[in-house]
Amino acid sequence: MPGKDESMNRLKIAVFFGGCSSEYSVSLESSYSVICNLDREKYEPVPVGITEQGKWFYFGGDVEKIKQDEWQQDESCIPAVLSPNREEQGLLLFKGDKVECLTIDAAFPVMHGRNGEDGTIQGLIQMAGIPLVGCNVLASALCMDKDRAHKLAELAGIRVPRAMAFGKVYDLHEVLDFAEDTGYPLFVKPVKAGSSYGITRVPDRANLMEAIRLAFRYDNEVIVEEAIPGFEVGCAVLGNDELITGEVDEIELAGGFFDFTEKYTLKTSAIHVPARVDRETSDRLKKTAKDLYQAMGCTGFARVDMFLTPDKEIVFNEINTIPGFTEHSRYPGMMKAAGITFPEILDRVINLALKQ
């Protein structure tokens, strides 16, 4: 254990977890891994839990309780909120009739999906004047929005799937015509959601409406998108101005698509790192990932997901600005294959935030 003086010199890193999102449980897994892998000689984690109902707490208990979703019942929980006062740069703790301010050196949101990865909490952190680990408000919001991200990628000269986006008031005949023209199978997705929630691979017209109804449960906009032949690949990118990448990975599917179950259990699928592609293709994928990262204005880190067709054409899928962050997740796995350990990743992204 570090002595008192050493402890005082460590940087306090607020790790935000949970949140009002369908990906609440995924966040618990990721944040647990982040907290466990922070270098305790340099950093003191300050866990900030947000319940699914939106209540904020400073959590000072056993980190295992985060992973097990038992943290909310712990007596160490103190109601808390991020101070908007830039002079304080800290977390306000409500201890009975007293309010204490805990100064924060950097904030690391490890929250997936809505209200965590879409620019909302990033806005709070930036308004508070606290160095933000990861992408800023604009990049987070853009990358969360599949429709607008695709439009920007296309402007950058990168192929995207043919798609049609629409809100809750839409012309069904136009959607049906687009689907017929594009051809089945196709995909129906919420425009703003992660972890494959609300996504359906639609084999024919008879299943289209049910897929649209499901997608609307997760967002107020839906996108109908062509199925790209080939397979999905990903590339971990790290940096602000000077970018580095991990090794490209490849998702091998037995059938269907990489849905929520497959992402977190790999029951019938496998992830290959490095991807089983030639060096020239790997280099092109890495360059395209960097181009997409910069086109969206990303900083810190992100995982860029793409498709590789049988003709080796690269097609943009999406960018995850807060990808899964367990020790077995794709982003750390790609970086590990490039020689960068999980603690080193965390050290680098925190330092990038402090230099902004």
Side-chain angles (χ1 to χ4, degrees):
M1 293 292 289
K4 184 176 180 181
D5 291 341
E6 290 174 298
S7 177
M8 290 176 64
N9 291 329
R10 292 186 296 166
L11 295 176
K12 289 183 171 61
I13 309 300
V15 179
F16 290 84
F17 65 90
C20 307
S21 168
S22 55
E23 297 175 69
Y24 169 88
S25 61
V26 183
S27 170
L28 300 187
E29 296 275 351
S30 291
S31 56
Y32 168 82
S33 293
V34 167
I35 292 168
C36 289
N37 282 279
L38 281 173
D39 184 344
R40 289 301 195 278
E41 291 187 3
K42 294 182 179 180
Y43 308 113
E44 178 185 343
V46 178
V48 182
I50 302 175
T51 71
E52 290 178 278
Q53 294 73 39
K55 294 181 179 180
W56 287 42
F57 295 97
Y58 163 74
F59 173 71
D62 184 353
V63 69
E64 292 292 330
K65 291 189 175 182
I66 295 177
K67 187 176 183 179
Q68 296 159 5
D69 195 15
E70 297 174 353
W71 66 276
Q72 298 177 45
Q73 294 77 40
D74 194 87
E75 61 183 11
S76 71
C77 280
I78 301 171
V81 68
L82 201 62
S83 172
N85 188 339
R86 295 176 72 88
E87 291 184 354
E88 290 177 331
Q89 293 193 335
L91 196 68
L92 299 180
L93 307 180
F94 298 93
K95 299 181 176 180
D97 59 353
K98 294 182 180 179
V99 179
E100 296 181 10
C101 183
L102 177 61
T103 302
I104 300 299
D105 294 294
F108 194 162
V110 191
M111 298 163 62
H112 308 298
R114 188 183 296 275
N115 298 315
E117 197 175 351
D118 58 3
T120 49
I121 195 164
Q122 288 79 7
L124 279 173
I125 293 166
Q126 291 192 283
M127 186 168 66
I130 298 171
L132 169 67
V133 179
C135 291
N136 62 20
V137 176
L138 179 60
S140 299
L142 274 174
C143 291
M144 191 70 182
D145 190 306
K146 296 176 179 65
D147 179 42
R148 290 157 184 86
H150 280 199
K151 287 181 170 68
L152 198 54
E154 197 167 27
L155 286 173
I158 297 161
R159 182 187 163 188
V160 299
R162 287 188 62 198
M164 177 181 182
F166 49 90
K168 290 194 173 182
V169 178
Y170 63 95
D171 187 326
L172 177 59
H173 295 293
E174 286 187 12
V175 176
L176 292 172
D177 288 346
F178 173 83
E180 292 296 332
D181 186 50
T182 302
Y184 295 93
L186 46 75
F187 285 91
V188 175
K189 308 176 180 180
V191 168
K192 300 178 289 296
S195 290
S196 295
Y197 280 109
I199 296 180
T200 306
R201 182 180 184 273
V202 180
D204 50 45
R205 177 171 175 156
N207 292 275
L208 183 59
M209 285 309 302
E210 182 57 35
I212 291 173
R213 281 191 287 270
L214 174 64
F216 272 129
R217 286 171 51 189
Y218 294 91
D219 193 27
N220 59 1
E221 288 183 291
V222 165
I223 188 167
V224 178
E225 190 177 283
E226 74 169 314
I228 301 296
F231 54 90
E232 187 173 344
V233 291
C235 185
V237 183
L238 189 154
N240 291 345
D241 300 313
E242 296 182 11
L243 305 181
I244 62 171
T245 65
E247 289 299 327
V248 175
D249 78 355
E250 168 197 345
I251 298 170
E252 181 184 13
L253 293 174
F257 71 101
F258 206 46
D259 61 10
F260 180 88
T261 301
E262 288 299 334
K263 282 184 177 181
Y264 299 106
T265 66
L266 296 178
K267 283 185 177 180
T268 64
S269 57
I271 295 176
H272 301 278
V273 189
R276 298 171 299 178
V277 298
D278 59 74
R279 175 60 64 86
E280 187 272 336
T281 301
S282 177
D283 288 344
R284 283 197 300 119
L285 286 164
K286 291 176 182 178
K287 181 183 183 305
T288 303
K290 287 181 180 180
D291 290 343
L292 286 161
Y293 185 95
Q294 291 176 319
M296 305 296 166
C298 294
T299 50
F301 64 96
R303 191 189 76 226
V304 182
D305 294 341
M306 299 161 282
F307 299 108
L308 188 66
T309 73
D311 295 329
K312 296 185 179 181
E313 185 178 11
I314 299 168
V315 183
F316 174 52
N317 183 17
E318 63 181 356
I319 295 181
N320 286 271
T321 55
I322 306 181
F325 246 114
T326 71
E327 293 181 59
H328 305 292
S329 295
R330 293 173 64 198
Y331 188 97
M334 286 185 269
M335 285 299 183
K336 182 179 179 180
I340 304 173
T341 67
F342 199 169
E344 286 173 336
I345 293 170
L346 301 178
D347 187 48
R348 291 193 188 199
V349 297
I350 289 170
N351 277 291
L352 287 168
L354 295 172
K355 291 175 182 177
Q356 282 285 80

